[in-house]
Structure formats: structure tokens, C-alpha cells
Amino acid sequence: MESALAWEYKKLIDELTQGMEKAMELRLHLYSTSPSEAQDLLLQKILSTFENALFILKQGGTIGQARTGAPTPAAPESSVSVDGSPKSEDMNKNLRVRRDHGDTSKRRKLQSTWTEQVRVNSDNGLEGPTDDGYSWRKYGQKDILGAKHPRSYYRCTYRLVRNCWATKQVQRSDDDPTVFEITYKGTHTCNPFSNAVSQPASPEKQELEDNNSLLKLKAKNLRVNTEDLDIKNIPANFSFPSACIDRENHYSPISALADENHIGTYSPLFYSPATSESNYFSASTSQMTSYVGAPMQHLETDIAEIISAHASTINSPIGGMEFLIDPVYLDPNFPFNTFGFFT
DNA sequence: TGCATTTGACCGGC
DNA sequence: GCCGGTCAAATGCA
């Protein structure tokens, strides 16, 4: 009896996942023909419906708890530790200032984790898995015992400036080098509502805002990518716009990809070009930085101390909203007419 | 020059 | 003591 239920449960998830993947494919095709905003919105709603259903299933019906129960990102280790006093042993060694790993590991323990496998097509020169819509910065690589390939560690680019503690690990499969196992840890909080720092409008961003067809621009990028998928020598600097930036711009054409983080069951469809497994992500970071117009490293190192104390406070009510990036999730009172949101 | 990546060292858990 | 995960200085790149 239980096994039958389990089978039905699994079947249901499979079906929903398949439906979601097909919707994603449809979106991909749609973007190759410059979709209208209404079409895009409709697709987002379709995807959100699938996401909701999958999420509810996976959470055993405790969607509310799951959404709000996602670990609220803890504040950075404190403003003191960012530039803070080095530990004595460090002082005795090479003067490197280190953070309190204890807090980090505690936070990691609290974070939700899920894994997905992504196959890439090495024939067309794509050696890395997908750009999942977020902006990642690589912060480490390790040789793993028993693994043929090193594991790469990524964290959200906006970790400190927006207190977003999402990380992911990417490991190339031993058996099939075209398969990457991506482990996500934590959820993104780098949405527009959690702006701890108001980003100055860069010329590019202003141009985007002045240009009333941000959507078309995004679609154009998407179209370029889909075309490039069919050719070799894909421009190394191409990638999808980041969902973070999309959110910054109040637009999330790939929000479903972003939300896959909360589903983790279907394979993303968008592949980023890459030269190696260690740098295949976030080819769009420079592109995105141009949107943001903020020197991230400086923000991280210089402003982090300033904002870190406030970020948790600012973000705390937002932490539970990290699943709300799709309209379906949004509170009815959410200001859809916010500048640039679906406009 | 600014930013992302690389890489060796460090830390906590087991 | 080993190992995975993270940090941050050094390096590379546009």
C-alpha cells in the first residue's frame, strides 16, 4: 500500500517535472522569436504552477513552512570579523585574517541542500553545465578523494552586499565527463527587495531603463544563446542575464531556473559556454556588473562592514520571501506596478 | 585599474 | 590525522 503510494508520488513528481521541462523548452523556443510580454508572463505563471506543485509535493504539503522555514541567512560573521582582529595563531603564521569558521559551518548546517545533475554537450564546445540564472563567484576548488575531477565551490556574487549566502558545488562525474553534479546549498536572497545597498544606476542600466524594451533585450540575449548552441566557438563572454540582476531590474525571465533551486529535479536547459569546468559559470558577471555599475569587490570589502550589521535586519523579513520571486508566490498586495516589474 | 579566478593555507568535523 | 569546505593573497584578464 505504501509502496503504491510511493510509486504514485514519484510518478506525480516525474510528470510534473516533465511538464516543467517542456514548459522550459517552450520558453526557450519562444525567446528565439521575441515573445511578447504577455506570453512571457503566461509562461512564468505556468512554470510557477509547476514549481508550486513540485514544491508542495516535495515538502509533503508544508509549503508554507518550507518557504518561510528556509534558513534565514545569518548575518555575516560580524562586521568585526570582516576586517576584524586576526586570531593569534594567524598572527603567528602569515598574518592572514581569517573568519570564524564555526559560524560558517553552523550556517551551512542550517542551509537546505539539494543536488541536480546536468549533462553538457561537449560536441558543441560547451564544457560546463548551465548558467542557472544566478550570479556565482568561484571561491575554491578542491581535489576530492576518490574523484577524478576536482570539485569547484561557488558562492553568490552578492553574498556580502546583499547578504545572500547561497553556495553551490560543482563536481564533474567520474563516469561521464559530460555530466556535472551540482549541489546547491542555501537559497538566494539577492532579490530586489533585499537591497541592502542602493545600487547606483550605471550608464548601461540607465540605458536599459530608458530603453523600454528590457524584455526584448533579454530575449535577444536568449536568442543569441540558443543560436550559439548550434555552433562552435561560442563567445566566451556570453551567458544568460543573471536572475539577480533580473531582479535588480525587476525582471526575471529565467525565474523558473532560479526557482529550480527550490525544486532541484529537472535539468536546466540553458548551457553556458566554458573553457574548463573551473570557470564555466557566470560568464555574464562582467555583463551584469555593468548593469549594476558597482565595483563588487570594493563593495564587498569596503561596504560589507557597513552594511553587514544592517543587512540581517533589512533582510530578515525578506529571507522568507526568497520564494516569492514569481508572481504566483507574491503576496496579493505586492506592488506589481513597481517600476520595471513586468514592464 | 578593477574585477574574477586561482591556489595554498587554514579550519572544523569526523 | 584526514578530508571537505572556506578564506584571502596572488595572479590573470579585459
Side-chain angles (χ1 to χ4, degrees), chain A residues 159-173:
Chain A
R159 176 172 179 172
L160 293 181
V161 293
R162 296 189 187 175
N163 204 33
C164 180
W165 291 87
T167 65
K168 72 175 176 182
Q169 302 171 4
V170 178
Q171 175 85 53
R172 188 189 285 263
S173 170

Side-chain angles (χ1 to χ4, degrees), chain A residues 25 32 78 109 140 153 160 174 179 207 270 290-291 324 329:
Chain A
E25 287 185 45
S32 66
S78 85
K109 281 183 177 180
Y153 299 89
L160 293 181
D174 289 344
V179 172
E207 183 180 351
F270 304 138
S290 68
Y291 287 156
L324 304 180
Y329 292 161

Side-chain angles (χ1 to χ4, degrees), chain A residues 261-313:
Chain A
N261 290 357
H262 310 295
I263 306 295
T265 52
Y266 65 90
S267 298
L269 299 168
F270 304 138
Y271 292 164
S272 293
T275 55
S276 76
E277 65 202 25
S278 61
N279 63 353
Y280 44 75
F281 281 107
S282 301
S284 61
T285 47
S286 59
Q287 183 182 1
M288 294 182 301
T289 301
S290 68
Y291 287 156
V292 174
M296 302 306 296
Q297 196 163 24
H298 281 185
L299 282 173
E300 287 187 4
T301 54
D302 298 337
I303 303 179
E305 295 91 334
I306 301 171
I307 67 171
S308 60
H310 305 287
S312 60
T313 305

